[in-house]
Amino acid sequence: MPEKFSQFLYDPKFSLNDETKITVNFTKEDLHKIEQYSNNVVEFHDKLRTGWKNKPSLKESLELGYRGEIAFSKIFNLPMNDQLTFGDKGVDFWFYGLSVDVKTISKLDHKLMFSSLEAIKADIIVLFFSYSIESASMLGFTTKDDLLNDLLPKEYFVELDMGFGPRYCLDKKFLKSVKELLYHDLVLRNSGTISISQKNGEKFIYEPI
């Protein structure tokens, strides 16, 4: 993990379970892009005869995931990866030299899930919630180190059978606060020019150095 970034991880300003979320409301242009993307991917799979049987389910799943990705790109002003492939190999974005995998759930009682430990590819995994097509909310994040190097208590990251085979699951209450990612972004984007302090309760103050 790059040294410049790692100095900000696990900062004492932040804690688990603070339930802060950042919501992005989509524009008509965003909604059109989401619809167009899912249609294109379904058509792509059709042409290659990849064996997808349930096209409505595939389309719905694609749109859910893409809503989270668009929201993340808007929050951090990062470019989207719109390549039509069989998957993104577990990496959706690059964030100051670290790979990011964006996961999106449609119900708040759902968990962050992986089909296997080998499926955890990215340095950072960010969880979004999107109940409807109008918006998506960033709920928190974890890291590959947290999940694979025993930095979380074992009872947090557990193997469960969710009805479609075993999955490795992390409840959203064990995610790190979204405020930490915003803090990293602001500090690294403006490295050497600002300081950040927390005053007046939850309000963060950004001051020139």
Side-chain angles (χ1 to χ4, degrees), residues 28-60:
K28 289 183 178 179
E29 182 180 350
D30 294 330
L31 296 176
H32 174 72
K33 186 174 183 180
I34 293 167
E35 174 78 13
Q36 186 176 46
Y37 171 79
S38 64
N39 287 337
N40 287 345
V41 175
V42 169
E43 182 181 348
F44 176 78
H45 281 281
D46 279 346
K47 286 181 178 178
L48 294 183
R49 300 180 179 180
T50 58
W52 289 100
K53 302 296 183 184
N54 192 341
K55 292 181 186 177
S57 176
L58 171 61
K59 181 176 168 60
E60 184 178 319

Side-chain angles (χ1 to χ4, degrees), residues 86-100:
F86 290 104
D88 51 34
K89 309 301 183 186
V91 175
D92 297 309
F93 297 93
W94 289 92
F95 182 81
Y96 300 102
L98 297 178
S99 53
V100 179

Side-chain angles (χ1 to χ4, degrees), residues 129-182:
F129 165 68
S130 181
Y131 174 72
S132 70
I133 64 172
E134 284 83 12
S135 65
S137 300
M138 186 165 67
L139 302 180
F141 75 102
T142 188
T143 70
K144 181 164 64 174
D145 280 347
D146 286 340
L147 301 178
L148 299 185
N149 295 336
D150 296 327
L151 299 184
L152 286 171
K154 291 186 182 299
E155 62 268 23
Y156 286 12
F157 188 48
V158 296
E159 187 176 6
L160 299 173
D161 191 335
M162 309 300 291
F164 38 83
R167 295 291 187 272
Y168 288 88
C169 303
L170 181 71
D171 192 284
K172 68 182 190 313
K173 67 184 178 183
F174 300 129
L175 295 172
K176 299 176 74 63
S177 172
V178 299
K179 290 184 292 188
E180 190 166 351
L181 275 184
L182 293 176

Side-chain angles (χ1 to χ4, degrees), residues 82-129:
D82 293 332
Q83 281 190 310
L84 300 182
T85 67
F86 290 104
D88 51 34
K89 309 301 183 186
V91 175
D92 297 309
F93 297 93
W94 289 92
F95 182 81
Y96 300 102
L98 297 178
S99 53
V100 179
D101 186 11
V102 174
K103 302 286 190 183
T104 310
I105 56 177
S106 58
K107 295 182 180 179
L108 280 174
D109 61 349
H110 286 181
K111 303 177 187 299
L112 176 62
M113 293 193 300
F114 299 91
S115 58
S116 67
L117 296 180
E118 291 72 25
I120 303 172
K121 303 291 188 184
D123 298 308
I124 300 171
I125 302 95
V126 184
L127 185 64
F128 276 79
F129 165 68

